[in-house]
Amino acid sequence: MEKASATSAPAARDCVLFATADWDTPYWTNKQHTAVEMAKLGWRVLYVESVGLRAPNLRSGMDWGRIARRLWRGLRGPRKVQDNIWVISPLTIPFKHGSTWVRAFNQGYLAWTIRRFLNRQGFSSPLIWTYHPFVLQTLEQLRLGHAEEASSQVVYHCVDDLSAIPGVDKAAFNAEEVRLLERADAVFTTATSLRDKCARHNSNTHLYPNVADPVHFGKALQPGPLHPSLAGISEPRIAYIGALSDFKVDFSLLHEVALARPDWQFVLVGDEREGQHNATLRDLSSLPNVHRLGYQPYAALPELLRGIQVGLLPTLINEYTRGMFPMKYYEYLSAGVPVVSTPLEFTQATRTWMEVADNASGFVQAIDKQLKTAAGQRDQVSLAIGDNTWGARMSAMLSRIPTQNQTDARQQQ
């Protein structure tokens, strides 16, 4: 992780944040945390929900349900969700994102919606903070007739290789991403491979991996009751917490490990992604030592982790996941829970309180090692977390954003 520069963070002002996740999605990501941390620092944030990067599956009732929910929220208009944070649900054509005219319509309508909000709330020359590249036409239209906003600063926060998501138009995404990188004033990435890719087009690119809220997850280290859902599950309890996505989670690996050690109890906290019906997950769930708890709210996770002996990152290695830096790593550590992971890119540099294995037998050995040696290592939690907190990370990233004068000079070149 890079250290912050000597430049002080810019004074709080207004921000339009283009997310790739809805505000109220069950599993919060760095998008929501970024908005919250900026709001704590006094920034006013307009959170623009996902415009939809993949075309919906018209045979999926889940996708039709998502379209209906988006239509309802979009017709309601902007809503204030907490102090200094408002949310807009864009109304867009959900098909043919690679089409020039579809993209022009979507971004034009979105620009009109955002402009109305900015005028009503008195947002002035907002910082643009985006998690995807399909914003440039929107920004161009936002500037029409407003010369004072012609030099609006742009930050690209690249946290995943979104072009590798199934259903995304890879060619259209990559072309637009290059345009955004050439326009951005600062680029922040969560993995080395993402940094190297982005740095080819933008010299002000920095590596800032995902982090956690140690105060929240540290509640697991305090004495307290066992979460009710764990009451009937014996130790040792080995858990995975997160969406049960079949292109992110290696269910076959988990199935082999659970079969190999029937005396261990495996706890899965989370739901399948929309439209998914994975046969291997179904087989895994049928084992007597595998326990599906379903989705659990963020507030309940520390109490759950209090009763967990090992946390798993059983990530399926593919083009999308290889460069991931899971937030769950520092969340597990903050809760005093040692980790076993598949060999993601981040594990090459970050190995504190973590064992890494790439097959079932290796995973069994790694879990066994953590169960035997980790109990006396909880005093390492504070040292391991260090400044890997949302507050410290936000301050560090803000300090990397050039001054407005530097941006103006760059755009005049």
Side-chain angles (χ1 to χ4, degrees), residues 267-332:
V267 179
L268 305 181
V269 181
D271 289 327
E272 290 188 81
R273 65 184 176 91
E274 290 183 329
Q276 174 185 304
H277 302 285
N278 186 276
T280 306
L281 175 58
R282 186 169 61 249
D283 293 340
L284 172 66
S285 304
S286 69
L287 297 179
N289 61 330
V290 175
H291 311 271
R292 292 275 300 274
L293 304 189
Y295 166 72
Q296 298 291 327
Y298 185 75
L301 297 184
E303 188 180 356
L304 270 167
L305 286 167
R306 186 183 291 134
I308 299 302
Q309 282 70 57
V310 176
L312 300 182
L313 296 174
T315 309
L316 186 67
I317 306 298
N318 55 39
E319 184 182 4
Y320 174 73
T321 63
R322 189 171 290 109
M324 284 176 51
F325 193 113
M327 286 192 297
K328 286 181 284 293
Y329 171 64
Y330 282 120
E331 291 174 351
Y332 286 148

Side-chain angles (χ1 to χ4, degrees), residues 59-86:
R59 292 175 295 180
S60 168
M62 293 273 192
D63 278 7
W64 277 112
R66 187 169 64 250
I67 292 172
R69 290 193 299 273
R70 170 54 59 83
L71 178 62
W72 168 246
R73 289 199 301 264
L75 292 173
R76 288 167 54 197
R79 62 192 190 277
K80 190 171 185 178
V81 293
Q82 65 180 63
D83 289 345
N84 288 339
I85 301 179
W86 293 261

Side-chain angles (χ1 to χ4, degrees), residues 223-286:
L226 190 67
H227 192 277
S229 62
L230 299 178
I233 304 174
S234 61
E235 294 185 359
R237 305 183 193 95
I238 295 101
Y240 169 75
I241 297 177
L244 300 176
S245 168
D246 56 5
F247 73 92
K248 291 183 181 180
V249 182
D250 193 336
F251 296 130
S252 295
L253 172 68
L254 288 177
H255 189 257
E256 288 186 61
V257 173
L259 282 174
R261 292 303 301 262
D263 53 321
W264 292 348
Q265 304 303 310
F266 293 86
V267 179
L268 305 181
V269 181
D271 289 327
E272 290 188 81
R273 65 184 176 91
E274 290 183 329
Q276 174 185 304
H277 302 285
N278 186 276
T280 306
L281 175 58
R282 186 169 61 249
D283 293 340
L284 172 66
S285 304
S286 69

